[in-house]
Amino acid sequence: MNFYDSDRMKDLLKPHGYQLDDNEDDADLIVLNTCHIREKAVEKTYSELGRIRDKINIRKEKTGKKSIVAVAGCVAQAEGKEIMKRSPWVDIVVGPQSYQNLPELISKVDPIKKNKNINIDFPTIPKFDHLKTNIEERGRSAFLTIQEGCDKFCTFCVVPYTRGSEYSRPLSSIMDEARKLIDVGVREITLLGQNVNAWNSNGLDNKTWGLGKLIDELAKIKELKFIRYTTSHPLDMDIELIKSHRDNKKLMPYLHLPAQSGSDYVLKMMNRKHTAKEYLKIIETVRYYNPKIAISGDFIVGFPGETDKDHNSTLSLIKQVNYAQAYSFKYSKRPGTPGSVFLNQVSEDTKNYRLFEVQELLRSQQLSFNKKTINSNMEVLVLKKGKKKNQYLGRSPFNQSVYFSHKNENLIGSIINLNITEAFQNSLTGNIVFNFQ
Ligand code: SAH
Ligand code: SF4
C-alpha cells in the first residue's frame, strides 16, 4: 500500500514541478514514506532520518540549498510530534489519509523561519476525491487501492489507529483509475486494501457489489489481462469471490488469507473472531472451486499467552493447509494496542525458536509447491529485465518469480507461455514455448 501511496504522491507533485530522482544527494524534496505495523519499521524510520540529515547537510554546505524533508505514512500518523522533536531537520509530517495536502504543506515551508507543518487529520472528504491527477508510468503491473482502514481491531494491530476506519472507494472511481492504468501500459492490476475483500459499493445495477463483482467488471477491460488482490480477511471471504476463482479466467489462482495462529485460544485473544476450524473450512471451499489455487497467509508467533501447545496448533494448521508461500512474524508490541498491555508476554528466545520452526515448515512447503510446477506450462507476464544478459523476469499465475532467457530485446509487457524447467526456494526458471501476444 505504501508503494501505491508513494506513486500517488509522485503524480500529485508533478504539476508542481517535482520529478522523481533516484539520487537524494541533490534533491529539493525528500519524502520518506513509512510503515508502523511492527517495531522494526519504526526503528528503520529513525535510522533513515539520520542518514537523510547527513545528505541534506552535505548538500547545504556544497550548494547553500536546503532540501525540504517530509515524513509520510503511518509512523508519521502515530508519532508526528515525536518525529519533529527527535529529528528537527524534518519540515513536514503528513499522515496516510492527508497526503493529498502535500503541495500546500510544501508551499508553506519557510526555510528561514524554520516553521513546521504537521497534518495528520482523518479528513471527512476521502483523499481519493482529491487525487484526480494524471497517472504517470507504472510499468506493466500496478497496484490500485480500493479499500482502506479497518474496524476489526485485532488486539495486536495498529492499522485501525493509523489508517482510520474502513472505507471502500466507489466503483466509478476505481474503474476510472483502472482505465488510466491501462492507458499507460499496465496489463496486471493488484487490488489493494487492508481488508480488500471487505470492499463493497453501489454497483451498476444499483445493488451492493462485493469484490467478486468488482473483479468481473474489471475483467471486461480487454487490455487488462491479470487481476490479483491482497490482503483478505477470513471473515470477509464470501462465496461470490470464491466462485470468481473458478469462473473468472483473468483472476489469478492465488489467495493471500492470513490465519495468524492455529490455536483457538490465541485467535480469541487476538480478537480474530474465527476459529482454526472455520479458517480451514474456507480453504477447503476455495479449493473445491479451484483445486489448483496457491494459498498464502500470515502468521504471528509469540503472541502474549501463547504456549507450546498453541504453537503446535499453528504448526498443525500450516500442515493441514500446505501453503504455497506465507509470511511469518514475531509478535511486536505496538503502543496503544490492547495486546501491548497483556500479561504473559512471550520471551524473545521463545519467539525466535517458534519463528524458526514456523519458517522452516513454510519454506519446505514453498519449495515443494514450486517443484510441482516443473514440466508444466504457464502464462507469464514479462515484467522487467533480469540481472543476467538476455534474462527476463516475469510473474507466474501463482505469484512466483519466473526467470527465462531470450535474445529478443522487446519482451517486457508480453505474455509468454513458459515451460518450467527448474524450481528453487523463491523462484522458477523456464523456456519459452510460444509467444502469443
Ligand atoms: N488485514 C489483514 C492483515 C494486515 S496487517 C488481516 O487481518 O489478516 C499485515 C500483517 O502484519 C498481519 O497479517 C500480521 O501477520 C502482521 N502484523 C500486524 N501487526 C503485527 C504485530 N503487532 N506484530 C507482528 N506482526 C504483526
Ligand atoms: Fe489489523 Fe487486519 Fe486485524 Fe484490521 S483485520 S486490525 S488490519 S490485522
Side-chain angles (χ1 to χ4, degrees), residues 204-330:
L204 296 177
D205 54 7
N206 245 339
K207 291 188 180 139
T208 303
W209 283 14
L211 183 59
K213 276 246 163 62
L214 170 66
I215 290 171
D216 288 345
E217 195 57 30
L218 284 165
K220 290 181 188 161
I221 304 176
K222 194 169 151 263
E223 298 88 346
L224 178 59
K225 305 290 183 191
F226 300 99
I227 303 171
R228 301 175 188 273
Y229 61 93
T230 198
T231 294
S232 297
H233 193 287
L235 291 184
D236 296 312
M237 265 334 273
D238 67 18
I239 193 70
E240 200 164 47
L241 177 61
I242 294 175
K243 281 185 177 168
S244 296
H245 277 289
R246 175 191 65 186
D247 302 332
N248 191 324
K249 298 298 164 229
K250 290 188 178 180
L251 178 59
M252 292 299 101
Y254 176 85
L255 172 66
H256 180 74
L257 195 67
Q260 314 298 0
S261 169
S263 148
D264 287 344
Y265 167 73
V266 173
L267 286 168
K268 191 156 191 277
M269 294 309 287
M270 286 177 163
N271 192 29
R272 291 293 287 182
K273 299 194 182 87
H274 63 77
T275 61
K277 209 168 156 193
E278 282 159 349
Y279 177 89
L280 290 168
K281 180 78 198 155
I282 298 168
I283 300 295
E284 191 188 312
T285 312
V286 171
R287 282 188 167 140
Y288 171 80
Y289 284 100
N290 188 335
K292 280 194 171 165
I293 197 163
I295 304 291
S296 167
D298 290 348
F299 291 93
I300 295 177
V301 301
F303 185 78
E306 186 189 68
T307 61
D308 282 342
K309 193 166 157 248
D310 297 318
H311 172 61
N312 285 334
S313 305
T314 299
L315 294 173
S316 154
L317 180 134
I318 295 173
K319 283 178 196 150
Q320 288 175 75
V321 173
N322 195 10
Y323 287 89
Q325 182 267 348
Y327 304 94
S328 46
F329 315 98
K330 281 189 280 185

Side-chain angles (χ1 to χ4, degrees), residues 150-154 156-160 194-195 233 260 272:
C150 182
D151 297 331
K152 292 198 166 61
F153 291 92
C154 299
F156 53 82
C157 184
V158 287
V159 168
Q194 262 90 28
N195 286 314
H233 193 287
Q260 314 298 0
R272 291 293 287 182

Side-chain angles (χ1 to χ4, degrees), residues 50-179:
R51 206 181 51 78
I52 288 170
R53 175 200 51 208
D54 297 344
K55 295 246 173 190
I56 62 170
N57 283 346
I58 293 172
R59 182 180 188 237
K60 203 164 172 216
E61 264 170 40
K62 267 198 198 156
T63 65
K65 290 193 240 170
K66 155 97 177 70
S67 314
I68 297 174
V69 179
V71 183
C74 290
V75 179
Q77 185 68 40
E79 306 204 3
K81 288 205 179 112
E82 180 71 13
I83 292 173
M84 290 296 197
K85 217 165 73 195
R86 274 176 68 174
S87 313
W89 54 97
V90 172
D91 304 289
I92 297 168
V93 162
V94 66
Q97 301 308 338
S98 40
Y99 65 74
Q100 69 280 11
N101 301 323
L102 252 183
E104 194 195 330
L105 295 170
I106 292 168
S107 72
K108 284 188 189 157
V109 173
D110 180 340
I112 297 163
K113 286 192 202 138
K114 291 195 175 151
N115 60 332
K116 306 281 176 198
N117 289 297
I118 302 190
N119 190 331
I120 47 174
D121 300 341
F122 289 117
T124 40
I125 301 169
K127 70 167 180 245
F128 295 104
D129 292 359
H130 296 274
L131 289 171
K132 289 194 177 121
T133 42
N134 281 338
I135 286 180
E136 293 290 318
E137 218 274 325
R138 288 285 196 276
R140 299 302 173 194
S141 177
F143 293 126
L144 200 175
T145 294
I146 64 166
Q147 183 277 338
E148 272 195 309
C150 182
D151 297 331
K152 292 198 166 61
F153 291 92
C154 299
T155 53
F156 53 82
C157 184
V158 287
V159 168
Y161 311 96
T162 54
R163 289 263 174 182
S165 56
E166 203 172 289
Y167 167 76
S168 290
R169 275 177 83 177
L171 177 68
S172 57
S173 144
I174 296 168
M175 295 305 293
D176 184 48
E177 190 166 325
R179 286 192 199 97

